[in-house]
Amino acid sequence: MGFDYSETHQLVAASAKEFAEQYIRPYIMDWDEAQTFPVEVFKKAGEMGFMGVLVPEELGGSGLGYHEYIAIIEEISKVDPSIGLSVAAHNSLCTNHILSFGNEEQKQRWITKLATAEWIGAWGLTEHNTGSDAGGMSTTAVRVGDDWVLNGAKNFITHGISGDIAVVIARTGEKGDSRGMTAFAVEKGTPGFTSGKKENKLGMRASETAELVFDNCKIPDANRLGEIGDGFIQSMKVLDGGRISIGALSLGIAKGAFEAALKYSKERIQFGKPISEFQGISFKLSDMATEIEAAELMVHKAAFLKNAGRPMTKMSAMSKMFASEVCVKVANEAVQIHGGYGYTKDFPVEKFYRDAKLCTIGEGTSEIQKVVIAKNILK
């Protein structure tokens, strides 16, 4: 087993780093303060191939694997995690769901637009009263002839307002039945499909989060993704891959916070020497570096399994849980190393600290990851 990154991986990482420095870094705090979702940046990311990373070239994508995907998310997230989150959600959730379970006509119709960011994608599973308990959803899809009529609402949806298309999981059978849900693609502008409340969040503020509302929204059966009743099972498979992207997001946050703390510790003079020379600080940095290294290995092992088409549910849950918890700890220690300055918006660790917490919640909480891991190790 080799640990060297391929030439392609290194080139992709360098490209993503350059993109983040040029198009993201100058505007980080403006977007954060105003909760601006910078659509034009994602259009540019589409031109760079970052919005269709896993999509085959014949469908307009980059045709890359999960190791390169991790590199892109990580480099963007080291600069602004909220932009990294949106790139991850677009790729792993909406686009990947259609790519994995759509038919050829659906792929030609939608993936070609999503891969270039001509369209921005959203993905709707969570509801107000069903977060971890997604199987208890209330949004329904009732078949009427050759159409389906959707009623209900989805909550905490990335790109819920700006998305041009949403993959939505709705109940087509009994509540709680894992075979009682079906996936549909709903285009923006469809009568009865609107956006609701935009969330005012602690962190990830440049990544738009809002409601999707369905009021007698009629769509053709041609918009159904896969078989009737397969929606929940499809979603769990999509989330397996999605957890790798949250692991990558977590790595980016942890590395960004660590690098800022390391730099500050060498520059901050107290009692006549840099604070990095004090054991209390150097031990913090040692622990941070070690845990980041471990998280990186776990996330890339999950990517290796995914690329190889091997079972990876347990590994994706492990890597997502560990990397997300590490990024919260590293961000916390980075603020501590900065002292009072870490609590101000003049230094980047304040934002990493706020952004980090989402990683232990989104795409399955740490507690849900433990449920998934336990099921797999107790089989």
Side-chain angles (χ1 to χ4, degrees):
M1 181 178 179
F3 290 94
D4 291 327
Y5 291 132
S6 69
E7 184 179 355
T8 299
H9 184 284
Q10 293 176 55
L11 288 170
V12 166
S15 178
K17 182 176 182 178
E18 184 180 340
F19 169 80
E21 291 294 335
Q22 183 175 351
Y23 296 103
I24 299 173
R25 189 176 294 281
Y27 313 105
I28 296 170
M29 292 314 295
D30 290 340
W31 294 339
D32 183 73
E33 296 283 353
Q35 294 201 81
T36 301
F37 178 64
V39 175
E40 68 284 353
V41 169
F42 296 98
K43 301 293 185 183
K44 186 65 181 179
E47 293 175 20
M48 301 288 289
F50 300 154
M51 300 296 272
V53 183
L54 306 167
V55 175
E57 291 181 33
E58 57 268 27
L59 288 172
S62 298
L64 297 170
Y66 271 82
H67 293 299
E68 293 79 18
Y69 181 37
I70 289 168
I72 291 166
I73 300 298
E74 182 185 311
E75 289 297 338
I76 291 173
S77 302
K78 281 166 70 174
V79 175
D80 189 343
S82 58
I83 304 302
L85 172 62
S86 275
V87 172
H90 174 93
N91 276 280
S92 286
L93 301 180
C94 180
T95 304
N96 194 45
H97 197 133
I98 298 171
L99 185 65
S100 299
F101 301 105
N103 58 39
E104 286 308 309
E105 188 278 330
Q106 290 168 333
K107 291 176 188 178
Q108 289 293 336
R109 182 178 168 192
W110 294 315
I111 292 291
T112 52
K113 292 184 174 69
L114 288 163
T116 59
E118 178 185 344
W119 281 14
I120 302 293
W123 191 77
L125 179 66
T126 300
E127 298 182 3
H128 291 273
N129 295 314
T130 56
S132 298
D133 179 22
M137 67 177 59
S138 297
T139 297
T140 58
V142 177
R143 189 156 194 173
V144 180
D146 291 331
D147 297 320
W148 292 86
V149 178
L150 276 63
N151 280 286
K154 296 292 179 178
N155 195 31
F156 297 140
I157 308 305
T158 305
H159 314 146
I161 295 169
S162 298
D164 298 283
I165 184 170
V167 171
V168 180
I169 319 304
R171 187 162 55 81
T172 51
E174 293 301 313
K175 185 174 284 194
D177 178 7
S178 64
R179 291 284 180 181
M181 290 157 276
T182 304
F184 302 91
V186 189
E187 296 181 15
K188 191 174 187 176
T190 302
F193 176 35
T194 56
S195 301
K197 176 190 174 188
K198 179 178 177 177
E199 301 297 340
N200 185 8
K201 299 175 297 183
L202 169 73
M204 301 291 192
R205 289 166 63 83
S207 178
E208 178 185 275
T209 307
E211 288 179 311
L212 300 178
V213 181
F214 304 92
D215 182 8
N216 289 320
C217 174
K218 187 164 75 172
I219 56 172
D221 187 54
N223 284 31
R224 173 170 49 85
L225 298 168
E227 298 300 318
I228 297 171
D230 280 358
F232 186 75
I233 288 85
Q234 291 174 8
S235 297
M236 295 303 104
K237 292 177 180 177
V238 167
L239 286 171
D240 275 349
R243 285 165 183 156
I244 294 175
S245 72
I246 300 300
L249 174 64
S250 301
L251 276 179
I253 295 172
K255 288 185 178 183
F258 172 75
E259 289 170 9
L262 182 63
K263 179 176 182 289
Y264 181 84
S265 72
K266 292 177 178 179
E267 296 171 349
R268 176 67 167 172
I269 307 298
Q270 293 288 276
F271 304 102
K273 59 183 178 180
I275 63 171
S276 59
E277 294 185 17
F278 291 100
Q279 190 180 73
I281 300 299
S282 66
F283 278 16
K284 284 184 185 294
L285 292 167
S286 297
D287 287 341
M288 292 157 76
T290 301
E291 293 196 330
I292 289 170
E293 191 76 19
E296 186 164 26
L297 289 170
M298 291 181 74
V299 173
H300 278 285
K301 182 177 180 181
F304 166 78
L305 294 172
K306 181 68 175 174
N307 282 343
R310 289 161 59 178
M312 44 75 72
T313 298
K314 179 183 75 173
M315 196 65 228
S316 71
M318 284 179 166
S319 63
K320 190 271 186 189
M321 180 185 74
F322 186 78
S324 65
E325 295 291 343
V326 164
C327 91
V328 170
K329 286 194 282 185
V330 169
N332 181 61
E333 290 287 50
V335 171
Q336 193 70 20
I337 288 169
H338 278 72
Y341 289 111
Y343 206 67
T344 72
K345 293 184 184 291
D346 295 327
F347 288 79
V349 292
E350 176 270 344
K351 185 174 182 297
F352 284 127
Y353 183 76
R354 288 186 289 110
D355 288 345
K357 189 57 195 169
L358 183 276
C359 295
T360 67
I361 299 170
E363 296 196 34
T365 63
S366 292
E367 291 74 21
I368 286 295
Q369 304 313 316
K370 290 180 182 180
V371 170
V372 172
I373 295 163
K375 281 182 179 177
N376 277 269
I377 62 177
L378 293 171
K379 276 181 180 177

